[in-house]
Amino acid sequence: MAIELHGYQYSVYSWIARLALHEKGKAFDWIEVNPFAEDIPASYLAIHPFKRVPALIHDGIVVYETGAITRYVDEAFEGRRLQPEEPRNRARCNQIISIVDSYAYWPLVRQVFSHGVFRPMMKLQADEKEFQRGLEAAPRILSALEDAAGEGRYLCGDGITLADIHLAPMIGYFARAPEGRDLLQKQLRLSAWWADFSKRATFMATSPRLPPAVR
Ligand SMILES: N[C@@H](CCC(=O)N[C@@H](CS)C(=O)NCC(=O)O)C(=O)O
Protein backbone atom coordinates (compact mmCIF):
# COMPACT_ATOMS: atom_id res chain seq x y z
CA MET A 1 0.00 0.00 0.00
CA ALA A 2 1.53 3.33 -1.11
CA ILE A 3 2.34 6.04 1.42
CA GLU A 4 1.68 9.67 0.50
CA LEU A 5 3.38 12.42 2.48
CA HIS A 6 2.01 15.88 1.86
CA GLY A 7 4.55 18.47 2.95
CA TYR A 8 6.42 21.65 2.17
CA GLN A 9 10.06 21.43 1.16
CA TYR A 10 11.26 23.93 3.81
CA SER A 11 8.92 22.84 6.61
CA VAL A 12 10.68 21.55 9.69
CA TYR A 13 7.69 19.38 10.62
CA SER A 14 7.61 17.85 7.15
CA TRP A 15 11.33 17.13 7.58
CA ILE A 16 10.56 15.25 10.83
CA ALA A 17 7.96 13.08 9.08
CA ARG A 18 10.34 12.42 6.16
CA LEU A 19 13.11 11.46 8.56
CA ALA A 20 10.85 8.99 10.41
CA LEU A 21 9.95 7.30 7.11
CA HIS A 22 13.62 7.12 6.12
CA GLU A 23 14.55 5.63 9.49
CA LYS A 24 11.91 2.93 8.97
CA GLY A 25 13.18 2.38 5.43
CA LYS A 26 9.75 3.11 3.93
CA ALA A 27 9.45 4.58 0.45
CA PHE A 28 6.78 7.24 0.00
CA ASP A 29 5.34 9.64 -2.54
CA TRP A 30 5.99 13.28 -1.71
CA ILE A 31 3.26 15.78 -2.54
CA GLU A 32 4.44 19.37 -2.26
CA VAL A 33 2.01 21.74 -0.49
CA ASN A 34 2.99 25.25 0.57
CA PRO A 35 0.90 26.00 3.69
CA PHE A 36 1.82 29.69 3.50
CA ALA A 37 0.43 30.09 -0.03
CA GLU A 38 -2.82 31.96 -0.69
CA ASP A 39 -4.06 29.21 -2.97
CA ILE A 40 -3.80 26.02 -0.92
CA PRO A 41 -5.78 23.43 -2.89
CA ALA A 42 -9.23 22.69 -1.49
CA SER A 43 -8.33 19.00 -1.69
CA TYR A 44 -5.56 19.64 0.88
CA LEU A 45 -7.82 21.67 3.17
CA ALA A 46 -10.16 18.69 3.20
CA ILE A 47 -7.24 16.63 4.54
CA HIS A 48 -5.90 19.17 7.05
CA PRO A 49 -8.49 21.59 8.45
CA PHE A 50 -5.77 23.64 10.22
CA LYS A 51 -3.85 24.34 6.96
CA ARG A 52 -0.58 22.98 8.27
CA VAL A 53 1.87 20.44 6.93
CA PRO A 54 2.61 17.57 6.99
CA ALA A 55 -0.17 15.05 6.46
CA LEU A 56 0.24 11.37 5.69
CA ILE A 57 -2.15 9.12 3.80
CA HIS A 58 -1.80 5.36 3.93
CA ASP A 59 -4.19 2.51 3.39
CA GLY A 60 -7.33 4.60 3.82
CA ILE A 61 -6.16 6.61 6.83
CA VAL A 62 -5.28 10.31 6.83
CA VAL A 63 -3.01 11.34 9.69
CA TYR A 64 -2.03 14.90 10.50
CA GLU A 65 -0.08 16.25 13.50
CA THR A 66 3.55 15.25 13.21
CA GLY A 67 3.75 13.40 16.52
CA ALA A 68 0.81 11.24 15.44
CA ILE A 69 2.40 10.66 12.02
CA THR A 70 5.76 9.55 13.41
CA ARG A 71 4.11 7.24 15.96
CA TYR A 72 1.95 5.77 13.20
CA VAL A 73 5.01 5.24 11.00
CA ASP A 74 6.77 3.52 13.87
CA GLU A 75 3.84 1.29 14.80
CA ALA A 76 2.37 0.48 11.39
CA PHE A 77 5.56 -0.63 9.69
CA GLU A 78 8.17 -3.28 10.28
CA GLY A 79 11.69 -2.31 11.20
CA ARG A 80 13.62 -0.97 14.13
CA ARG A 81 11.28 0.30 16.89
CA LEU A 82 11.61 4.01 17.42
CA GLN A 83 9.87 4.20 20.81
CA PRO A 84 11.43 2.80 23.96
CA GLU A 85 9.49 0.04 25.73
CA GLU A 86 10.91 0.86 29.15
CA PRO A 87 8.52 3.31 30.87
CA ARG A 88 11.14 5.84 32.03
CA ASN A 89 12.82 6.06 28.65
CA ARG A 90 9.42 6.21 26.95
CA ALA A 91 8.34 9.05 29.25
CA ARG A 92 11.54 10.98 28.43
CA CYS A 93 11.02 10.38 24.73
CA ASN A 94 7.43 11.70 24.88
CA GLN A 95 8.50 14.59 27.10
CA ILE A 96 11.18 15.71 24.63
CA ILE A 97 8.70 15.55 21.74
CA SER A 98 6.27 17.67 23.74
CA ILE A 99 8.95 20.21 24.74
CA VAL A 100 9.88 20.54 21.08
CA ASP A 101 6.27 21.15 19.99
CA SER A 102 5.18 23.34 22.90
CA TYR A 103 8.27 25.44 23.61
CA ALA A 104 11.03 24.99 21.02
CA TYR A 105 9.42 25.24 17.58
CA TRP A 106 8.38 28.86 17.68
CA PRO A 107 11.54 30.49 19.11
CA LEU A 108 14.12 28.19 17.50
CA VAL A 109 12.55 27.87 14.07
CA ARG A 110 9.92 30.56 13.52
CA GLN A 111 11.91 33.31 15.22
CA VAL A 112 15.64 32.50 15.02
CA PHE A 113 15.78 30.47 11.81
CA SER A 114 13.02 32.25 9.92
CA HIS A 115 14.06 35.80 10.73
CA GLY A 116 17.82 35.22 11.05
CA VAL A 117 18.42 32.79 8.17
CA PHE A 118 15.49 31.82 5.97
CA ARG A 119 13.89 35.17 5.23
CA PRO A 120 17.22 36.91 4.50
CA MET A 121 18.16 33.92 2.32
CA MET A 122 14.91 34.25 0.37
CA LYS A 123 15.27 38.02 0.22
CA LEU A 124 12.05 38.40 2.22
CA GLN A 125 11.61 41.03 4.88
CA ALA A 126 12.97 39.81 8.23
CA ASP A 127 12.24 41.23 11.67
CA GLU A 128 15.35 41.66 13.82
CA LYS A 129 13.17 41.94 16.95
CA GLU A 130 11.63 38.52 16.29
CA PHE A 131 15.12 37.08 15.78
CA GLN A 132 16.31 38.59 19.09
CA ARG A 133 13.20 37.34 20.94
CA GLY A 134 13.94 33.83 19.72
CA LEU A 135 17.55 34.06 20.85
CA GLU A 136 16.43 35.29 24.27
CA ALA A 137 14.01 32.39 24.68
CA ALA A 138 16.45 29.74 23.43
CA PRO A 139 18.74 29.20 26.48
CA ARG A 140 15.89 28.03 28.74
CA ILE A 141 14.67 25.61 26.07
CA LEU A 142 18.12 24.22 25.31
CA SER A 143 18.86 23.83 29.01
CA ALA A 144 15.58 21.91 29.54
CA LEU A 145 16.45 19.64 26.62
CA GLU A 146 19.95 19.16 28.02
CA ASP A 147 18.41 18.05 31.34
CA ALA A 148 15.93 15.73 29.63
CA ALA A 149 18.57 14.09 27.43
CA GLY A 150 19.96 10.80 28.71
CA GLU A 151 23.58 9.73 28.95
CA GLY A 152 23.53 7.38 25.99
CA ARG A 153 24.44 8.08 22.39
CA TYR A 154 20.87 9.18 21.63
CA LEU A 155 18.47 11.34 23.62
CA CYS A 156 16.61 8.42 25.22
CA GLY A 157 19.26 5.75 25.48
CA ASP A 158 21.52 3.85 23.14
CA GLY A 159 19.07 3.56 20.26
CA ILE A 160 17.56 6.23 18.07
CA THR A 161 13.98 7.17 19.02
CA LEU A 162 11.24 9.52 17.88
CA ALA A 163 12.69 12.11 20.28
CA ASP A 164 15.88 12.35 18.19
CA ILE A 165 13.80 12.45 15.03
CA HIS A 166 11.60 15.25 16.40
CA LEU A 167 14.38 17.42 17.76
CA ALA A 168 17.12 17.06 15.14
CA PRO A 169 15.44 19.03 12.31
CA MET A 170 14.60 21.86 14.76
CA ILE A 171 18.24 22.05 15.87
CA GLY A 172 19.29 21.66 12.24
CA TYR A 173 17.50 24.90 11.41
CA PHE A 174 18.38 26.72 14.64
CA ALA A 175 22.10 25.93 14.28
CA ARG A 176 22.17 27.49 10.82
CA ALA A 177 22.27 30.81 12.65
CA PRO A 178 25.79 31.36 14.10
CA GLU A 179 24.13 32.79 17.23
CA GLY A 180 22.12 29.56 17.53
CA ARG A 181 25.27 27.46 17.21
CA ASP A 182 26.94 29.50 19.97
CA LEU A 183 24.00 28.93 22.32
CA LEU A 184 23.90 25.22 21.51
CA GLN A 185 27.59 24.83 22.31
CA LYS A 186 26.91 25.82 25.92
CA GLN A 187 24.92 22.58 26.38
CA LEU A 188 27.50 19.81 26.42
CA ARG A 189 25.36 16.69 26.04
CA LEU A 190 23.14 18.28 23.45
CA SER A 191 26.18 19.48 21.46
CA ALA A 192 27.76 16.03 21.54
CA TRP A 193 24.44 14.49 20.41
CA TRP A 194 24.13 17.08 17.64
CA ALA A 195 27.73 16.56 16.42
CA ASP A 196 26.92 12.88 16.01
CA PHE A 197 23.32 13.04 14.77
CA SER A 198 23.90 15.78 12.21
CA LYS A 199 26.21 13.40 10.32
CA ARG A 200 23.64 10.62 10.19
CA ALA A 201 22.95 9.51 6.62
CA THR A 202 19.14 9.67 6.94
CA PHE A 203 19.35 13.13 8.47
CA MET A 204 21.57 14.44 5.70
CA ALA A 205 19.49 12.73 3.00
CA THR A 206 16.28 14.37 4.27
CA SER A 207 17.71 17.88 4.92
CA PRO A 208 15.95 20.59 2.92
CA ARG A 209 18.02 22.04 0.09
CA LEU A 210 18.31 25.70 0.97
CA PRO A 211 19.64 28.40 -1.32
CA PRO A 212 23.03 29.90 -0.32
CA ALA A 213 23.02 32.14 2.75
CA VAL A 214 23.14 35.89 2.28
CA ARG A 215 23.64 36.71 5.94
N1 LIG B 1 1.01 20.85 15.21
C1 LIG B 1 1.42 20.68 13.82
C2 LIG B 1 2.34 21.83 13.45
C3 LIG B 1 2.72 21.80 11.98
C4 LIG B 1 3.20 23.16 11.52
O1 LIG B 1 3.09 24.18 12.22
N2 LIG B 1 3.71 23.17 10.28
C5 LIG B 1 4.13 24.43 9.72
C6 LIG B 1 5.29 24.24 8.75
S1 LIG B 1 6.73 23.69 9.60
C7 LIG B 1 2.98 25.01 8.93
O2 LIG B 1 2.26 24.29 8.28
N3 LIG B 1 2.81 26.33 9.01
C8 LIG B 1 1.83 27.03 8.29
C9 LIG B 1 1.34 28.24 9.04
O3 LIG B 1 1.88 28.53 10.12
O4 LIG B 1 0.42 28.87 8.53
C10 LIG B 1 2.13 19.35 13.64
O5 LIG B 1 2.61 18.79 14.63
O6 LIG B 1 2.15 18.84 12.53
Side-chain angles (χ1 to χ4, degrees):
M1 206 55 76
I3 303 169
E4 274 183 19
L5 185 63
H6 297 244
Y8 176 49
Q9 57 180 322
Y10 302 123
S11 148
V12 74
Y13 276 111
S14 304
W15 184 2
I16 294 168
R18 259 196 329 266
L19 181 54
L21 284 160
H22 273 248
E23 285 293 342
K24 285 303 260 198
K26 292 304 291 180
F28 58 94
D29 297 321
W30 174 264
I31 292 108
E32 179 77 6
V33 181
N34 179 353
F36 300 99
E38 302 278 306
D39 57 345
I40 304 174
S43 56
Y44 188 70
L45 298 180
I47 292 173
H48 200 317
F50 300 104
K51 290 197 211 178
R52 301 289 176 104
V53 288
L56 179 136
I57 305 182
H58 174 247
D59 197 12
I61 182 173
V62 175
V63 189
Y64 64 81
E65 288 304 296
T66 306
I69 293 173
T70 58
R71 286 176 180 103
Y72 177 77
V73 165
D74 187 32
E75 288 160 14
F77 304 119
E78 296 291 313
R80 183 198 349 231
R81 296 314 302 255
L82 298 172
Q83 296 171 88
E85 295 292 337
E86 195 277 317
R88 286 161 172 262
N89 281 337
R90 199 174 179 94
R92 281 284 174 253
C93 176
N94 287 329
Q95 184 184 12
I96 289 170
I97 292 170
S98 199
I99 293 172
V100 168
D101 288 342
S102 305
Y103 312 112
Y105 168 60
W106 198 266
L108 302 196
V109 176
R110 293 296 290 270
Q111 291 181 310
V112 173
F113 172 70
S114 289
H115 289 278
V117 179
F118 186 74
R119 297 184 74 84
M121 207 177 257
M122 296 304 212
K123 302 191 169 50
L124 298 169
Q125 196 175 3
D127 185 339
E128 178 64 22
K129 283 201 198 93
E130 284 295 306
F131 177 63
Q132 290 302 335
R133 276 189 208 115
L135 288 177
E136 278 159 30
R140 185 148 70 117
I141 298 153
L142 296 174
S143 156
L145 289 165
E146 172 86 1
D147 290 346
E151 300 286 342
R153 177 173 179 188
Y154 297 95
L155 294 174
C156 303
D158 291 323
I160 180 174
T161 68
L162 296 182
D164 302 284
I165 290 170
H166 222 82
L167 180 60
M170 302 268 169
I171 297 291
Y173 271 169
F174 176 69
R176 286 204 178 230
E179 296 86 342
R181 277 201 297 282
D182 290 348
L183 290 172
L184 182 64
Q185 269 171 13
K186 297 190 174 146
Q187 309 297 338
L188 298 184
R189 269 207 305 274
L190 219 47
S191 299
W193 165 81
W194 173 243
D196 181 38
F197 201 91
S198 56
K199 295 188 196 76
R200 193 175 178 86
T202 51
F203 182 76
M204 293 194 292
T206 53
S207 295
R209 306 278 166 256
L210 294 175
V214 294
R215 188 166 173 271

